[in-house]
Amino acid sequence: MRLRLRALAALTVLSAAFLATPPAQAASTLTATAATYRGEGDDVVRIPATSVPSIVKATYQGESNFIVWALDSSGKQAALVANAVGDYKGTRAFNTIGTRKIRSLEVTADGAWTLQVLPITKARSWSINVKGTGMDVLRLATPTRAARPITLRHQGESNFIVWSLDARGRSTKLLANKIGNYRGRVMLPAGTRYATIEADGTWSIAR
């Protein structure tokens, strides 16, 4: 009888330990790889929950509004990851400011779209000198050791917004916030690893 009670007690302890294991590790493992979602028209896409900086690569073919919001666990809009009219291709980040747990993406569209969700470490490689068009997220091989001046250029009609981010993917400094064509020399902070670009035209970053 005592042996049976001991075996039951041991089983109870193991079960409790298993149930007490937090699910956060599973969520972070899922966000370490790319997940691609496809659809057409309005939809809500469930993604592996994450509170770390991440990016969404989006494409869209349609004539009307294409809007994508990252929603937190309560269904509230936490970050705008796409906002365009007509065909679109771009990359935007979320969770670069704050640590809200994102659980889904809300899509407003009248055509076909794709969404690829990745950790920010999968952003496009950046060697300080870089060119692009529209929305993008850039990644240096290693964080900058010291502050350095860089030149920003933009040819477009709408907002041109550039943020520097640290090695964790958190926003550190607003480098530019202009409308229309722009050229300026700004200081890139020490410790910068990433940059986010919001633009509607062509742009470049140079030493």
Side-chain angles (χ1 to χ4, degrees):
M1 184 66 176
R2 289 181 179 178
L3 291 175
R4 290 181 179 177
L5 290 175
R6 288 178 182 175
L8 181 60
L11 182 60
T12 302
V13 171
L14 288 173
S15 299
F18 177 78
L19 292 173
T21 303
Q25 292 183 354
S28 62
T29 300
L30 288 171
T31 56
T33 58
T36 302
Y37 308 90
R38 294 177 173 84
E40 186 170 348
D42 296 349
D43 205 350
V44 176
V45 176
R46 190 80 166 178
I47 67 172
T50 180
S51 57
V52 301
S54 306
I55 60 175
V56 176
K57 294 184 177 182
T59 63
Y60 169 68
Q61 290 183 322
E63 298 180 355
S64 189
N65 292 327
F66 176 59
I67 303 171
V68 182
W69 281 95
L71 307 181
D72 63 18
S73 55
S74 63
K76 293 182 179 179
Q77 296 175 342
L80 184 63
V81 294
N83 185 14
V85 177
D87 293 349
Y88 171 83
K89 180 179 181 181
T91 302
R92 293 187 75 169
F94 63 85
N95 275 341
T96 60
I97 301 176
T99 57
R100 297 170 71 174
K101 183 167 286 187
I102 303 303
R103 290 186 178 276
S104 55
L105 300 174
E106 183 180 48
V107 182
T108 300
D110 72 343
W113 47 264
T114 64
L115 303 174
Q116 188 178 35
V117 183
L118 307 98
I120 198 168
T121 54
K122 300 298 183 182
R124 180 158 76 101
S125 180
W126 171 34
S127 59
I128 299 298
N129 297 327
V130 64
K131 296 180 180 180
T133 302
M135 310 294 184
D136 211 344
V137 181
L138 307 174
R139 173 185 53 84
L140 287 169
T142 58
T144 55
R145 294 184 178 180
R148 63 175 67 183
I150 57 173
T151 299
L152 302 176
R153 292 183 174 86
H154 175 241
Q155 289 185 322
E157 299 179 353
S158 190
N159 294 324
F160 177 59
I161 302 173
V162 183
W163 279 91
S164 63
L165 287 67
D166 63 18
R168 300 175 303 160
R170 305 296 183 185
S171 298
T172 57
K173 182 181 179 182
L174 181 62
L175 301 178
N177 186 8
K178 303 294 181 179
I179 296 177
N181 294 337
Y182 171 77
R183 182 189 182 282
R185 194 130 173 102
V186 300
M187 189 64 74
L188 187 70
T192 297
R193 180 72 188 276
Y194 303 96
T196 60
I197 315 294
E198 181 176 340
D200 74 333
T202 60
W203 50 264
S204 65
I205 301 175
R207 295 176 187 269

